[in-house]
Amino acid sequence: MSDISENPYVRGIEHVTLAEDRRSVRILDQTQLPGREVYKDVSTPEACFDAIRKLEVRGAPCIGIFAGYAMVVLAQPYIDMNAVDFRVKMREIAAYLNSSRPTAVNLSWALGRMEAVIADHFNDGVPTILDCMARESLAIHEEDRAMCRRIAEYGLSLINDGDGILTHCNAGPLATSEYGTALGPILLGSEQGMSFHVFADETRPLLQGARLTAYELTKAGVDVTLICDNMASLVMKNGWVQACFVGCDRVAANGDFANKIGTSGVAVLARYYGIPFYTLGPTSTIDMSCATGDDIRIELRDPEEIRSLWYREAMALPETKCYNPAFDVTDHELVTAIVTDRGIVYPPFDVNLKKLFA
Ligand code: MRU
């Protein structure tokens, strides 16, 4: 086994960082992976919006971390404003960033935390508010590291050495701060000398499974096999999958959850083949104000992602109608358990998720 503890992808590369002068956020542009590791500095509202919208930063927890840093950077030009005008300006900026992608709750959650800091320190003057915002943004990042580590530990208790695990999309270190959520148990177990066979759905249409999950696991020395999304049924039927681990973008109070489009299909297949199906996510991804999955807004994306984006020439006529939802909702009845940083939650989810926050 390769010495994966040496590998930065297991521990989490610093793929989102706040510049020391707080004038920009440095991101690893995930749209360029796996071919190129390109970092870019973003410092304007439009660049921050685009970074989220275009998936340069992506994955629910990572979007939240980025949003915290972005608020700090975008506040800097207003350091000389009075607190009243400053708060109005920051509300505008938060609303703008929040409109970049609707489904992952971590975005509005992190923006809400930053706005709460402004309210709490309103009378202390803008320079102090700015210092507190910077501290809060770093805390969001640090807390995510700790939550991912605990999710990895809980998740590891659900699998055995040698297991085959199927995952969909990317819920690894790149989607979070470190370890990831769905990939956390696999990376942690590998660090401890266990071995797993991971089947990574390529994840149409944006290929996060192929471009990011297979990349992260390969770099970490984990045995990963890339499959097209429509091959999941066969590998399950062959008996090669002992558990499904997927991430989540928003978990409703009844246990329904949104995740990358195609996740609900994996859950249906897992039920048919009697394979446990887990979603793993930090408590920051649970939205108790959302009663069921019907209340989750699903992002619709550009048809060109289906027609032409990945091909040398377009694979459909320009006039071909496309439907391109970025996420779907998995019904809680198909979920074996929700693995969080505060423990493993089993059905009935409406009762047990409430206990988690009690
Ligand atoms: O569109 P993306 O790439 O942001 O979608 C990401 C997912 O669906 C992940 O599974 C989810 O955000 C969980 S990340 C820990």
Side-chain angles (χ1 to χ4, degrees):
M1 200 184 70
S2 60
D3 183 5
I4 60 170
S5 60
E6 296 286 306
N7 191 298
Y9 288 85
V10 177
R11 284 288 176 205
I13 44 173
E14 289 301 338
H15 55 282
V16 185
T17 40
L18 178 64
E20 230 166 278
D21 64 6
R22 301 178 188 164
R23 298 215 166 264
S24 58
V25 193
R26 173 157 291 192
I27 54 169
L28 172 62
D29 179 353
Q30 298 194 31
T31 64
Q32 308 261 350
L33 292 172
R36 288 165 297 278
E37 289 177 15
V38 177
Y39 286 85
K40 70 190 266 190
D41 297 316
V42 288
S43 55
T44 64
E46 294 72 25
C48 292
F49 180 98
D50 280 353
I52 301 173
R53 179 77 198 147
K54 293 179 177 166
L55 273 60
E56 292 167 356
V57 279
R58 48 142 306 277
C62 185
I63 292 171
I65 294 163
F66 174 77
Y69 287 152
M71 286 288 279
V72 176
V73 167
L74 300 178
Q76 297 307 310
Y78 307 109
I79 193 160
D80 295 326
M81 260 186 182
N82 65 64
V84 174
D85 291 346
F86 178 78
R87 182 160 65 180
V88 170
K89 194 75 210 164
M90 293 319 292
R91 272 193 191 143
E92 269 171 27
I93 291 173
Y96 174 61
L97 293 180
N98 198 33
S99 66
S100 56
R101 294 189 81 190
T103 305
V105 69
N106 299 65
L107 176 56
S108 55
W109 169 85
L111 293 170
R113 274 182 66 160
M114 300 307 285
E115 290 198 271
V117 168
I118 298 172
D120 289 349
H121 296 276
F122 190 67
N123 295 320
D124 300 342
V126 171
T128 303
I129 298 176
L130 274 171
D131 285 343
C132 296
M133 287 173 71
R135 264 201 298 279
E136 185 73 357
S137 66
L138 292 164
I140 290 172
H141 199 159
E142 269 320 298
E143 287 167 24
D144 190 72
R145 286 184 211 284
M147 289 194 287
C148 285
R149 170 73 196 205
R150 287 196 294 272
I151 290 167
E153 286 164 2
Y154 285 122
L156 189 53
S157 71
L158 297 169
I159 49 180
N160 299 303
D161 196 15
D163 275 356
I165 295 157
L166 186 137
T167 190
H168 189 79
C169 194
N170 172 262
L174 285 166
T176 62
S177 50
E178 199 174 68
Y179 280 107
T181 55
L183 298 191
I186 297 160
L187 294 172
L188 183 64
S190 301
E191 278 186 334
Q192 296 174 1
M194 298 166 79
S195 59
F196 306 104
H197 315 286
V198 180
F199 292 94
D201 284 355
E202 65 176 350
T203 320
R204 287 282 299 158
L206 286 175
L207 303 176
Q208 291 93 329
R211 294 189 301 103
L212 308 175
T213 298
Y215 166 79
E216 286 187 315
L217 292 176
T218 302
K219 287 233 169 201
V222 175
D223 178 11
V224 55
T225 302
L226 179 63
I227 58 172
C228 299
D229 298 354
N230 56 6
M231 298 168 189
S233 174
L234 183 61
V235 297
M236 288 187 193
K237 185 176 179 188
N238 286 349
W240 297 343
V241 178
Q242 280 64 56
C244 297
F245 276 2
V246 298
C248 40
D249 285 83
R250 191 183 294 251
V251 181
N254 72 340
D256 293 350
F257 73 97
N259 193 52
K260 180 52 52 188
I261 187 74
T263 301
S264 67
V266 173
V268 170
L269 291 173
R271 171 60 56 91
Y272 181 78
Y273 289 112
I275 297 166
F277 176 90
Y278 302 102
T279 184
L280 301 87
T283 35
S284 54
T285 304
I286 301 172
D287 182 359
M288 294 301 279
S289 73
C290 212
T292 75
D294 291 343
D295 304 314
I296 300 176
R297 205 173 129 211
I298 299 295
E299 173 186 5
L300 289 176
R301 293 187 63 88
D302 184 353
E304 289 312 321
E305 292 176 350
I306 298 178
R307 279 194 211 109
S308 58
L309 184 63
W310 304 104
Y311 308 111
R312 229 185 290 270
E313 58 185 83
M315 282 296 131
L317 294 173
E319 62 268 36
T320 304
K321 207 172 9 152
C322 298
Y323 174 53
N324 187 16
F327 300 94
D328 61 19
V329 171
T330 298
D331 194 286
H332 63 277
E333 287 187 10
L334 297 170
V335 179
T336 308
I338 302 172
V339 182
T340 78
D341 50 289
R342 297 191 196 162
I344 303 172
V345 183
Y346 289 95
F349 294 119
D350 53 348
V351 175
N352 292 336
L353 282 174
K354 232 182 246 155
K355 284 186 192 158
L356 209 59
F357 292 96

